Amino acid sequence: MSQQINTSASESEKVAVPQYLIISILTIFAIGSQYFSNLSYILNQGVIQNGLQLGSNSLLLPSTLSNLGFAFGVPLGPVLTRKLGLRKNYLLFISVFLIGSVIAVFSEDLLFLIIAKIIQGISAGFLFLTILPASLKSFPNKIRNTFLLMVITGLFGASALGALFGALSLEADAWRWLFILNVAAAAICLLVGFIGLPKLEQQEEHFSLDKTGIFLWTVMMLVLAIPLCNLVQKGFTSTYVWPFLIVAGVLMILFIIVDRKAETPLVPFKTLKASKPISGTIMAVASHLALVFAIAGINGFLRNNLDLPFMYLSHFYFWFFVGIVVTAILKTVLYDKLGAGILGIIGSIAVIYVSYQWRTIDSAVTLHELYFQVACLGAGVSMVLVGGALGTALAGDIHQASMRSVTLHSIRNFVGAIISPVLAWFLTTVNASNYEKIRWSLQSDSTEFKQEMAVWTRHLVEQGNSVANAKSLASYELIVHVKKAAILGAYHNLFTILLVLGIIMLLASIGKVATGKGRSLVQKQPKPVQKHTDTKINNAL
């Protein structure tokens, strides 16, 4: 299941830069670009909506299909890498990502933006498990723990920077330059990869291909695209949603059955049957969902309830990035000493603290409180997710490490792709329900309505308005207040779910501790055995 990286002496002379540094650059700028694009898109949808004159619901389609495309490509990347080799596969799909980014830059309508985002998502999905395992293997044993610094700062950091630059795009009222950054990143990867990736590679000429599994996986993703794109507007009861969800569910069951029996399964579920990898998988999946819920909720609160100026929005996501960098440093230093479980407990507690605070958040919250809380969020989620993912890969038989990694990341990204439109539907539905409840309680002949109107009118008169103008403005302010209260209630529900996810992360981390610290990244072996052991781990990964 692995792809070897062999750098001959002649190639080493041509490329003076250490191989692990080259692979790290190729990892950060390839996969990080997709994460950057996803988060920046969440922030600047309003700018894109105005620029392309689109409806707000239409903007969900590109992100939904991009996430689904990424999930589709994740398990297929290692398959093509085994067939084509690391160099050919990487250069192929980074070229495809470049094409998608160029299309996005010049998009003039929704169709071309959707096409661009799908191309970006699928190509990045193929690249994910093409280059990430190679990155870990490229680090020499004595500094392998610095892989954590690279992957957390580079990949999670790219998400934080995407949010930060998305906020900056709101200030600039422009969005195409963000896709230009994607073009630049892909061009750098293409150049560095062409020069730096080894040309002599061990390839598996003969391997069994899970054709039935690939077919079922492809059809399932195509079927899922229909209900996920229609869910927000039409709801679960629509014939465009529930029948396709049932078909997708049947296909998923068939896919799992087929892959469990396949000689070389596309997603080797059987590798997660032990308690240690299961706890790590739950840590990774729950923390991934926690990040999705947290960003959706807090970004909506900042925009709809706090009316935070764009400049302060960029400051907010800067502190999100700071939290991630702190975790990267701590993880690099402490992972081999404490293990994924203990660090996961620390990260889970941070997420639980933030979600508990945000369950009752309102406009009285201060910016300094928000900065500290979002830094804790970034630190906690990244600590649990990376610990769970790495702990799962290194748990059990080292020769199955790459297969466990494929299974975990396939599950994680598949669930993440599905949950995003479900989350959008949830917010829309709860917001509408809350609004109707509040509006019903504030009917014009009710005592509560009269009291609220009196309070607002008195407040506006004190500000210098005439009684007539104050009454007119009070009606408008009351409507705005009701709308904000309705959406705030939806966000509170969202943060309650975030709290539940934090508790799940904590329990999974405790389970990880109970099953043992696990294998260290830096192998401490006697010198005669050192090289053999290091090579064994590299071959397995």
Side-chain angles (χ1 to χ4, degrees):
M1 294 293 291
S2 60
Q3 179 67 37
Q4 301 301 311
I5 303 176
N6 292 333
T7 308
S8 63
S10 59
E11 284 187 82
S12 298
E13 292 172 3
K14 292 179 183 178
V15 185
V17 181
Q19 190 73 6
Y20 69 87
L21 185 57
I22 293 173
I23 301 295
S24 296
I25 292 172
L26 297 178
T27 303
I28 293 171
F29 280 88
I31 304 172
S33 292
Q34 175 67 7
Y35 291 168
F36 176 93
S37 180
N38 283 349
L39 266 292
S40 62
Y41 185 85
I42 291 174
L43 267 291
N44 67 5
Q45 286 187 18
V47 179
I48 297 176
Q49 180 182 351
N50 294 333
L52 299 182
Q53 298 180 343
L54 302 173
S56 57
N57 289 328
S58 300
L59 289 173
L60 295 173
L61 298 179
S63 58
T64 297
L65 294 174
S66 178
N67 291 335
L68 204 59
F70 186 88
F72 167 74
V74 167
L76 293 170
V79 175
L80 283 184
T81 304
R82 287 156 54 202
K83 180 64 178 177
L84 302 177
L86 173 65
R87 177 184 174 86
K88 290 181 181 178
N89 199 47
Y90 183 87
L91 294 179
L92 169 63
F93 283 102
I94 199 63
S95 299
V96 175
F97 186 86
L98 176 61
I99 292 170
S101 301
V102 171
I103 294 174
V105 171
F106 295 102
S107 294
E108 292 295 339
D109 55 34
L110 179 63
L111 177 61
F112 279 97
L113 184 60
I114 289 175
I115 292 172
K117 292 291 289 180
I118 291 175
I119 292 174
Q120 282 188 322
I122 292 176
S123 56
F126 273 89
L127 286 169
F128 186 75
L129 289 180
T130 293
I131 194 64
L132 193 60
S135 180
L136 175 57
K137 291 184 291 185
S138 67
F139 279 79
N141 178 61
K142 62 182 180 181
I143 62 167
R144 186 168 285 143
N145 57 327
T146 56
F147 165 79
L148 293 170
L149 184 66
M150 181 279 295
V151 76
I152 296 176
T153 305
L155 301 187
F156 269 93
S159 297
L161 290 176
L164 193 155
F165 276 67
L168 292 176
S169 72
L170 294 174
E171 182 76 21
D173 195 26
W175 57 273
R176 296 183 190 275
W177 63 279
L178 293 171
F179 288 109
I180 292 175
L181 293 179
N182 282 161
V183 171
I188 291 172
C189 289
L190 200 58
L191 177 63
V192 174
F194 183 80
I195 296 173
L197 285 175
K199 297 179 181 178
L200 300 176
E201 302 177 82
Q202 293 179 4
Q203 300 177 21
E204 297 184 30
E205 298 294 338
H206 306 285
F207 65 92
S208 177
L209 188 64
D210 182 16
K211 294 181 181 179
T212 305
I214 293 174
F215 172 78
L216 290 172
W217 180 253
T218 304
V219 175
M220 180 179 67
M221 289 298 191
L222 290 174
V223 172
L224 264 177
I226 298 172
L228 293 183
C229 289
N230 287 283
L231 178 59
V232 176
Q233 286 184 294
K234 301 182 183 299
F236 279 101
T237 58
S238 170
T239 53
Y240 287 93
V241 178
W242 68 264
F244 293 96
L245 288 178
I246 292 175
V247 173
V250 172
L251 289 171
M252 182 173 66
I253 293 171
L254 291 174
F255 172 73
I256 293 173
I257 293 173
V258 167
D259 260 34
R260 284 180 60 83
K261 296 179 179 179
E263 181 182 349
T264 54
L266 182 64
V267 181
F269 294 101
K270 290 188 291 186
T271 58
L272 298 183
K273 61 183 179 181
S275 57
K276 190 181 288 289
I278 287 177
S279 60
T281 300
I282 295 173
M283 288 170 63
V285 173
S287 54
H288 182 113
L289 297 181
L291 181 62
V292 174
F293 276 71
I295 293 298
I298 197 61
N299 183 61
F301 170 78
L302 296 176
R303 298 289 303 278
N304 298 320
N305 293 94
L306 207 58
D307 296 324
L308 196 66
F310 298 146
M311 179 182 297
Y312 293 106
L313 198 61
S314 62
H315 295 170
F316 177 81
Y317 285 109
F318 169 77
W319 283 102
F320 181 52
F321 177 73
V322 169
I324 290 171
V325 172
V326 170
T327 282
I329 297 171
L330 293 176
K331 200 88 173 178
T332 301
V333 175
L334 299 176
Y335 182 83
D336 282 355
K337 297 178 181 178
L338 301 180
I342 293 178
L343 292 175
I345 290 174
I346 297 172
S348 301
I349 292 173
V351 173
I352 290 172
Y353 158 74
V354 172
S355 58
Y356 183 79
Q357 294 294 320
W358 287 357
R359 282 184 68 246
T360 55
I361 196 171
D362 56 31
S363 56
V365 67
T366 67
L367 284 177
H368 290 95
E369 288 175 325
L370 285 172
Y371 294 158
F372 175 73
Q373 289 163 0
V374 79
C376 289
L377 175 73
V381 169
S382 57
M383 187 169 288
V384 179
L385 199 158
V386 174
L390 192 58
T392 298
L394 298 179
D397 185 357
I398 194 64
H399 295 288
Q400 293 186 341
S402 61
M403 292 188 285
R404 285 191 295 270
S405 185
V406 168
T407 307
L408 180 147
H409 289 297
S410 297
I411 294 172
R412 178 175 68 85
N413 287 287
F414 178 76
V415 174
I418 292 175
I419 206 65
S420 295
V422 173
L423 175 57
W425 167 84
F426 174 81
L427 282 175
T428 302
T429 304
V430 174
N431 178 41
S433 175
N434 289 345
Y435 179 75
E436 286 301 317
K437 289 178 182 177
I438 298 173
R439 191 173 68 86
W440 178 260
S441 67
L442 292 176
Q443 292 186 30
S444 59
D445 58 346
S446 68
T447 303
E448 189 174 353
F449 173 80
K450 294 176 181 178
Q451 290 175 345
E452 288 288 336
M453 281 292 292
V455 170
W456 279 104
T457 302
R458 189 182 309 112
H459 174 70
L460 291 168
V461 168
E462 290 174 353
Q463 290 182 342
N465 294 282
S466 65
V467 175
N469 286 338
K471 287 183 178 180
S472 176
L473 290 172
S475 299
Y476 171 78
E477 292 291 344
L478 188 56
I479 292 173
V480 172
H481 176 73
V482 168
K483 289 182 176 179
K484 286 189 174 184
I487 192 63
L488 181 60
Y491 294 142
H492 285 168
N493 290 343
L494 202 64
F495 295 137
T496 300
I497 299 174
L498 178 62
L499 177 60
V500 173
L501 288 170
I503 294 172
I504 293 173
M505 291 158 58
L506 178 61
L507 294 176
S509 299
I510 293 173
K512 192 72 174 169
V513 172
T515 57
K517 185 169 75 72
R519 185 176 282 103
S520 298
L521 273 175
V522 178
Q523 296 296 304
K524 297 179 181 180
Q525 298 284 351
K527 287 190 176 180
V529 189
Q530 175 77 26
K531 185 174 180 180
H532 171 75
T533 303
D534 197 30
T535 303
K536 182 179 178 182
I537 293 177
N538 276 345
N539 290 340
L541 292 172

